[in-house]
Amino acid sequence: MLYILTLIFSYFFHAYLHEYLHLIFTKMTVGVDKYKIKVYPHIDSKLGFVWASVWTVRSSVANKFQNGMIYFAPRFANIFFIVSIICLQKFELSIYWKIFIASSMVDLFVGSLGISEKSDLKMYSKFWNLNPWVPRLVGIAASIFSLVILI
């Protein structure tokens, strides 16, 4: 039962962190007048089914680099957790900590798939003129490598 509660908590924590990083970077780059975060699965009017979302009214118009940073922002949390996994590999972590940390790798893996045309990966690749396969392969490799180290 505690495993299930840990999974549920980890999902909501990482969903909120993911969406909040979008919001922070939007505030830092162009400013935000209003926002709304939903960290539960729902149907968005523009995107269809999503696991979580953030809606903002921006104070100004973002350029291509700023838009790319806004969509890339959640990857900074993923990078932090990858570094944490590497630094903590000398310690014997409880299964609950492993589940919590692995949730970020699941976020990175799913985010690296970039299935939807409006996915973060496709959007920052478009704004930064990147081939989406480069960040896709790096993200998938980093998430699998980190999960192998963690287990």
Side-chain angles (χ1 to χ4, degrees), residues 27-41:
K27 281 184 177 183
M28 289 185 340
T29 55
V30 295
V32 172
D33 292 332
K34 291 194 286 185
Y35 70 92
K36 186 175 187 178
I37 294 179
K38 295 181 181 179
V39 293
Y40 49 86

Side-chain angles (χ1 to χ4, degrees), residues 82 85-86 89 105 139-150:
I82 288 172
I85 288 170
I86 293 169
Q89 69 179 336
M105 296 306 97
I140 289 172
S143 61
I144 291 171
F145 174 73
S146 299
L147 287 172
V148 167
I149 288 176
L150 188 63

Side-chain angles (χ1 to χ4, degrees), residues 26-89:
T26 306
K27 281 184 177 183
M28 289 185 340
T29 55
V30 295
V32 172
D33 292 332
K34 291 194 286 185
Y35 70 92
K36 186 175 187 178
I37 294 179
K38 295 181 181 179
V39 293
Y40 49 86
H42 62 280
I43 297 179
D44 186 78
S45 60
K46 293 180 183 175
L47 303 173
F49 177 79
V50 291
W51 290 97
S53 67
V54 62
W55 170 84
T56 59
V57 175
R58 296 178 179 184
S59 300
S60 60
V61 177
N63 61 34
K64 283 186 166 196
F65 178 77
Q66 291 169 328
N67 271 321
M69 284 301 293
I70 291 166
Y71 284 104
F72 185 80
R75 298 302 146 242
F76 290 113
N78 298 138
I79 293 167
F80 170 78
F81 280 101
I82 288 172
V83 171
S84 298
I85 288 170
I86 293 169
C87 293
L88 294 173
Q89 69 179 336

Side-chain angles (χ1 to χ4, degrees), residues 11-21 23 35 37 39 52:
Y11 164 76
F12 283 106
F13 177 83
H14 287 290
Y16 187 79
L17 179 63
H18 181 110
E19 300 306 330
Y20 200 73
L21 283 169
L23 178 63
Y35 70 92
I37 294 179
V39 293

Side-chain angles (χ1 to χ4, degrees), residues 115-134:
I115 296 169
S116 166
E117 286 301 316
K118 295 286 185 178
S119 68
D120 292 345
L121 179 129
K122 294 253 178 110
M123 295 304 287
Y124 69 74
S125 294
K126 179 181 86 171
F127 286 120
W128 290 346
N129 296 320
L130 294 172
N131 181 342
W133 281 99
V134 174

